[in-house]
Amino acid sequence: MVRDLKITVLAENTARRADLLAEHGLAFWIEADGHRILFDTGQGKVLRHNADCLQVPLETVECVAISHGHFDHTGGLKDVLDAGGQMDLYLHPAALGEKYHQEKSPPHRSIGIADLDESALRRRTRNLVCTDQPVELTDGVHLTGEIPRRNDFEDTGGPFYRDASCTEPDPLLDDQALYVETPAGLVVVLGCAHAGVVNTLDHVARLTGRRQVHAVLGGMHLVRAAMPRLDATVAAMKRYNVEKIGTAHCTGMRASVYLWSQLPEQCFECPVGSVFHWQL
Ligand SMILES: [Fe+2]
Ligand SMILES: [Fe+2]
């Protein structure tokens, strides 16, 4: 159980301070009872800069956890490794695979982890933990592992493929979330939620046996979501009594507006530099 939890947004699509930089990407610096965890790394253009501005010592990170293998979550890995700390790196094996986004016409865009293969990651980290299973990173801080897709209204949210000619759809089995057990309930941190927000919350509830979710924040990838999916997402937020909902990154303007209209007391923004601190 984590009693002191502080989450600092290091990379996100929006910035509200003159000295901070935004990019299409996501990275959260998580301090949990003194442990230091980085969940995702952005696409690499802003992580180092924002960390310096926010006085976040990247070199002290104990665990780096990757939500999935897309470039906008993994591009800053090189900067974290270059910072020189001793860290364990956690990811799903599928995060290391080739990943493409289908464009209107070829060539299709490569969107996987650039420049770092498994052997480089193994060489440059204390431990590379490549697993599809749930794991506890530090006391009370967990990764979900692979998230079962149990409903018929959520999909990966875009034209994602595993090959350059875009014939083999990418189910993004690597997609996982991080969750923290606190006395107020679970705090769930999403990367892109390609497995679906509802599938993710259902999986966390199954893993923990807890149905009180205090906060959900991160990318919800609802850019292309139709109304039934948006309504099901709102219903799940209500079902889990989510008190705080941070719509970030790839949630999308239309979906964010809808979530805010349905859950106005719960929703909040997560621009770069936001600090969310729970002392419980
Ligand atoms: Fe993303
Ligand atoms: Fe993604």
Side-chain angles (χ1 to χ4, degrees), residues 68 70 72-73 160 172 192 194 221 249-250:
H68 66 300
H70 281 161
D72 50 326
H73 300 254
F160 302 117
L172 280 153
C192 266
H194 289 297
H221 214 94
H249 180 44
C250 56

Side-chain angles (χ1 to χ4, degrees), residues 248-264:
H249 180 44
C250 56
T251 303
M253 180 66 80
R254 191 175 58 90
S256 296
V257 167
Y258 188 68
L259 290 176
W260 281 61
S261 74
Q262 299 299 303
L263 301 157

Side-chain angles (χ1 to χ4, degrees), residues 68-241:
H68 66 300
H70 281 161
F71 74 103
D72 50 326
H73 300 254
T74 58
L77 261 175
K78 190 176 171 303
D79 280 345
V80 184
L81 297 168
D82 286 348
Q86 292 280 310
M87 75 202 75
D88 298 329
L89 174 62
Y90 292 80
L91 41 69
H92 185 293
L96 295 164
E98 301 237 324
K99 296 191 176 291
Y100 290 85
H101 182 276
Q102 188 177 40
E103 304 298 311
K104 286 204 176 85
S105 57
H108 302 300
R109 190 158 46 105
S110 172
I111 57 168
I113 300 178
D115 303 329
L116 288 165
D117 60 13
E118 184 172 350
S119 66
L121 293 173
R122 208 169 280 289
R123 208 172 51 245
R124 299 193 60 190
T125 53
R126 184 170 49 198
N127 289 300
L128 175 65
V129 184
C130 214
T131 178
D132 60 0
Q133 294 300 305
V135 284
E136 186 167 27
L137 300 174
T138 60
D139 287 345
V141 181
H142 305 255
L143 274 183
T144 60
E146 192 171 309
I147 298 168
R149 318 292 166 93
R150 297 204 178 188
N151 64 53
D152 59 4
F153 53 83
E154 293 186 307
D155 58 22
T156 59
F160 302 117
Y161 290 86
R162 288 197 278 211
D163 60 322
S165 49
C166 290
T167 56
E168 217 185 306
D170 185 353
L172 280 153
L173 299 180
D174 38 326
D175 180 75
Q176 57 181 341
L178 177 149
Y179 64 92
V180 186
E181 295 182 283
T182 82
L186 300 164
V187 173
V188 180
V189 187
L190 307 168
C192 266
H194 289 297
V197 175
V198 181
N199 278 326
T200 302
L201 293 178
D202 288 347
H203 186 51
V204 171
R206 276 194 302 274
L207 289 173
T208 60
R210 297 180 72 184
R211 301 191 66 79
Q212 175 60 48
V213 178
H214 174 63
V216 177
L217 65 161
M220 303 186 195
H221 214 94
L222 295 168
V223 181
R224 295 168 180 234
M227 283 311 293
R229 179 171 176 181
L230 294 181
D231 283 329
T233 306
V234 169
M237 295 291 187
K238 290 180 176 168
R239 195 162 63 245
Y240 288 110
N241 302 309

